[in-house]
Amino acid sequence: MPGFPAFAVTVDLVVLTVRDGGLAVLLVERGEEPFAGRWALPGGFVRADEDLPEAADRELAEETGLPAGTVHLEQVATYGAPGRDPRQRVVTVAYLALAPDLPLPVAGTDAADARWVPLAEAGPLAFDHARLLAEAVERARAKLEYTPLATAFCPPEFTVAQLRRVYEAVWGRALDARNFHRKVTGAAGFLEPVGATTARDGGRPAQLFRRGPATSLHPPLLRG
Amino acid sequence: MPGFPAFAVTVDLVVLTVRDGGLAVLLVERGEEPFAGRWALPGGFVRADEDLPEAADRELAEETGLPAGTVHLEQVATYGAPGRDPRQRVVTVAYLALAPDLPLPVAGTDAADARWVPLAEAGPLAFDHARLLAEAVERARAKLEYTPLATAFCPPEFTVAQLRRVYEAVWGRALDARNFHRKVTGAAGFLEPVGATTARDGGRPAQLFRRGPATSLHPPLLRG
DNA sequence: GCCACTTATCGTCAACCCGACGACAACAAC
DNA sequence: GTTGTTGTCGTCGGGTTGACGATAAGTGGC
């Protein structure tokens, strides 16, 4: 099969976390043209002997320094319009990563100038990254309804209130604490009680939970 | 940016329809190695000046002869494992297409040997196409719940019973005609009455409907 | 015309789920 | 103890669900 057009293939990451009651995305400042000085999603070329999820894992480790497996990672969509990179034909596979609130940037990584940027303050991005970001965020919002994905924003053990704050941050809407508690503890396989409680700063201690084995929520938590 | 690995990029299509009460997929028989004689999903290389959806549209027109825009087309996922094509490094973007029941293959197209194959009878497929097919089908099943996508399997005007048979075929489960009628006609923007009725062969004539403007269903139709 | 038979559509009912909200429990600070 | 804060359990009316009975509007046989 000769004569097929040659493409470069990259993996770009939309890494989200919950900070200060809102969603934040991991961005890097570009040092080179095109779009020098602009903010962009972290990412890079897929290597010759690498599968796509491997490349995404590697980029994530390089950008965040996190041990692989601690963050949720899933493919979102692929973009390949001619001209989306002015230098050459590039096809980009976008991945969505959800992480607990973590200190960043980690020293000694590729992108020393990586930063968490609140979603609302993300200015114009390089390439078509604004679209990648928007579509990844919408995917995350939708998946919170019918999967236990929100636990990916939490540490291994967490309280119902922490989980609720995740939902409120992602959906941008206040939720009733009582009804949320009922639904979340009632969904089979969503949460597993750890047995311990938190020592908190003023207020009744809360039960700790771990993520349960369910992969989908019945019934789902609807945005309304 | 020199030295990046060169990839070939293809678009593969999972074209589904409802036939004889079950899902069927459009497959072509491969004429060349590798996998000569095996069934495979239709698809082909993305051209040098083409966007990905354009390439999918073009391949669909070549395989089915349908005028563009009559079938629903959406991206599902991208596959790029090294070795998935033994000849060279290929990244494949899978698209899901939903079509009404149509006569195929259309004479004068690329793949004269394209056939509708019932899902259960699809034997071993070339490359990793079994996985592409399975993931696309699961996407279709899930989207029927909360989008008006089922109408893509129907002609422009259809009855509630036709729509119900689509759901039953895709989900592989019988549905109560009365409850289905209530829910489907109650969901805002799902169906628009045409005013006419069908002249049917034994039985009360049914009202005809057109697809409504809604892009999501409230409330959704759950599989249970 | 009358009678089965088929298919479409409307109604009824109990069980369940939802959102709004009241009540209480268990801690800290003073 | 009192106050304030946070977590957890209950209650209530309205809407939705699935199971299923009843009726409407055609066809074909006689």
Side-chain angles (χ1 to χ4, degrees), chain A residues 22-46:
Chain A
L23 271 181
V25 59
L26 185 68
L27 295 180
V28 299
E29 197 171 352
R30 285 185 60 82
E32 307 167 6
E33 291 296 341
F35 298 104
R38 275 276 184 89
W39 292 97
L41 298 173
F45 289 102
V46 176

Side-chain angles (χ1 to χ4, degrees), chain A residues 1 4-9 45-52 54 75-82 85 87-91 93 95 131 139 146 218 220 222 224, chain B residues 1 4-9 45-52 54 75-82 85 87-91 93 95 131 139 146 218 220 222 224:
Chain A
M1 80 201 179
F4 66 87
F7 289 75
V9 176
F45 289 102
V46 176
R47 294 183 181 161
D49 57 349
E50 221 176 20
D51 196 358
L52 302 177
E54 276 180 64
Q75 197 188 102
V76 178
T78 299
Y79 305 83
D85 186 318
R87 292 164 294 182
Q88 70 187 86
R89 194 69 200 274
V90 177
V91 162
V93 185
Y95 276 81
R131 184 177 165 204
R139 165 81 67 101
Y146 53 94
H218 288 287
L222 298 175
Chain B
M1 73 205 186
F4 67 87
F7 289 76
V9 177
F45 289 102
V46 176
R47 296 185 179 160
D49 56 350
E50 221 177 20
D51 196 356
L52 301 178
E54 275 180 66
Q75 197 189 103
V76 177
T78 299
Y79 305 83
D85 186 319
R87 292 163 294 183
Q88 72 188 84
R89 195 67 199 277
V90 178
V91 163
V93 184
Y95 276 81
R131 183 176 167 206
R139 165 80 67 96
Y146 54 93
H218 288 287
L222 298 176

Side-chain angles (χ1 to χ4, degrees), chain A residues 8 22 66 69 73 129 171 178 190 195:
Chain A
L66 295 171
L73 197 58
H129 285 186
W171 289 348
R178 284 93 39 117
F190 192 4

Side-chain angles (χ1 to χ4, degrees), chain A residues 117-131:
Chain A
V117 178
L119 214 53
E121 301 170 18
L125 301 184
F127 306 107
D128 51 1
H129 285 186
R131 184 177 165 204

Side-chain angles (χ1 to χ4, degrees), chain B residues 28 79 97 108 167 211 214:
Chain B
V28 299
Y79 305 83
Y167 274 91
R211 149 174 218 165

